[in-house]
Amino acid sequence: MRHVIALDVGGTGMKAALTGPEGEVLHRARRATGRAQGPDAVVAGILDFAAELRAYGTERLGTPASAAGVAVPGIVDEAEGTAVYAANLGWRDVPLRGLLTERLGIPVALGHDVRTGGLAEGRVGAGRGADRFLFVALGTGIAGAIGVDGRVEAGAHGFAGEIGHIVVRPGGAPCPCGQRGCLERFASAAAVSEAWAAASGTPGADAADCAKAVDAGDPRALAVWQQAVDALADGLVTALTLLDPRTLIIGGGLAEAGDTLFTPLREAIRSRITFQKQPSLVPAALGDGAGCLGAGLLAWDLLASTDRMEVTP
């Protein structure tokens, strides 16, 4: 059966699948990334894992994979197929697409993890059917994916969608990017965790704990939560003004708070917009499998473009 390899590389683990032409998952697998052994070991682990997936497909599905899609964190040059930089994996300028192509002997597509997850959410998840969408992941940091007619815009230099570094509080908390007052310093799951641990006097308290305290009516939690919602709404309205998406998809750890987040966030956005059209605001639907599904879509898209080139006179 014709299939592709889909691989989502995270800071601690890798999720993989073999997917069919209709997106059906034919096989799933997971493996530790092994970052403690260093960047070279991580790359070797990715290559070995991909080779094992190819062998599995050959043996169990009767044919080797036709292509592979790989999603990685950090700065990614998708056009050149290079993993430019990833702090949590310790690598710089890794020609990952070329290394995988050489190892597997098949076409390989390389994508940014959040943009790849956004591709899946927009095409087969919460944004299905939307011609314009914005996917925003609220995790340790904040990143986004700009969807246009079924594809995700990478930008001229691979930086499109970095909504977490919109400055929403000028002169505010310093950000590792070098600016001050960036959105992710106030509205990421990590920022809420930090603020709630300080406000509650409970080291180790996290954003999920803060959400529970909000539901219980704790005034300290309500203050922390509202600060995050206000900052997030400010950043999102800036994005809405620039991009005018039809659907706004929110994912990541903070979105797991459900209505505790979405109800005040919808109201905060509504109170800020003037001429802008309020998009449909929905939670992400695919969970932590979005990156892997998106990697599969990248692979099938690559095959489709290759097939078109072969039949063009």
Side-chain angles (χ1 to χ4, degrees):
M1 180 179 184
R2 198 177 193 211
H3 64 278
V4 299
I5 295 168
L7 183 57
D8 179 20
V9 179
T12 58
M14 295 184 281
K15 295 180 285 288
L18 301 180
T19 66
E22 302 301 319
E24 64 272 31
V25 177
L26 307 171
H27 172 65
R28 295 184 189 272
R30 289 180 180 252
R31 175 177 291 185
T33 303
R35 63 179 178 178
Q37 283 72 52
D40 291 341
V42 171
V43 173
I46 293 170
L47 298 177
D48 289 345
F49 195 19
E52 289 176 16
L53 292 162
R54 184 180 188 278
Y56 181 95
T58 302
E59 178 183 349
R60 300 295 182 91
L61 302 176
T63 182
S66 300
V70 183
V72 298
I75 300 171
V76 182
D77 186 331
E78 297 174 9
E80 294 297 322
T82 303
V84 178
Y85 175 71
N88 59 353
L89 295 178
W91 63 26
R92 287 183 180 272
D93 298 321
V94 178
L96 196 55
R97 184 177 66 195
L99 293 171
L100 282 163
T101 300
E102 181 179 356
R103 182 69 174 270
L104 301 175
I106 56 176
V108 176
L110 183 69
H112 179 274
D113 57 351
V114 174
R115 287 197 295 269
T116 301
L119 174 67
E121 284 288 354
R123 196 180 294 181
V124 301
R128 183 196 293 264
D131 57 345
R132 301 287 192 279
F133 70 87
L134 175 62
F135 169 71
V136 178
L138 308 175
T140 303
I142 297 178
I146 303 164
V148 181
D149 291 333
R151 65 178 181 83
V152 168
E153 174 59 50
H157 308 95
F159 296 155
E162 290 293 345
I163 186 174
H165 297 292
I166 289 176
V167 174
V168 295
R169 299 292 181 266
C175 180
C177 80
Q179 300 185 117
R180 300 184 71 92
C182 287
L183 175 60
E184 70 175 40
R185 293 296 295 119
F186 298 92
S188 64
V192 173
S193 296
E194 180 182 338
W196 177 235
S200 65
T202 309
D206 61 15
D209 297 323
C210 185
K212 291 176 184 176
V214 168
D215 291 339
D218 188 314
R220 299 168 303 169
L222 288 165
V224 168
W225 199 255
Q226 192 61 50
Q227 179 186 49
V229 167
D230 286 342
L232 183 56
D234 287 342
L236 290 175
V237 169
T238 297
L240 301 183
T241 304
L242 290 171
L243 302 173
D244 187 27
R246 197 173 306 280
T247 303
L248 176 56
I249 307 166
I250 306 294
L254 207 61
E256 294 176 6
D259 287 344
T260 301
L261 174 67
F262 284 90
T263 297
L265 181 59
R266 288 190 181 98
E267 180 55 37
I269 292 173
R270 185 178 297 112
S271 69
R272 284 163 170 76
I273 60 175
T274 53
F275 66 90
Q276 305 93 333
K277 295 292 185 181
Q278 180 144 346
S280 173
L281 177 62
V282 297
L286 302 176
D288 70 353
C292 195
L293 290 172
L297 292 173
L298 288 180
W300 284 112
D301 286 352
L302 179 60
L303 283 175
S305 65
T306 302
D307 291 346
R308 285 195 298 270
M309 290 176 63
E310 290 177 350
V311 299
T312 300

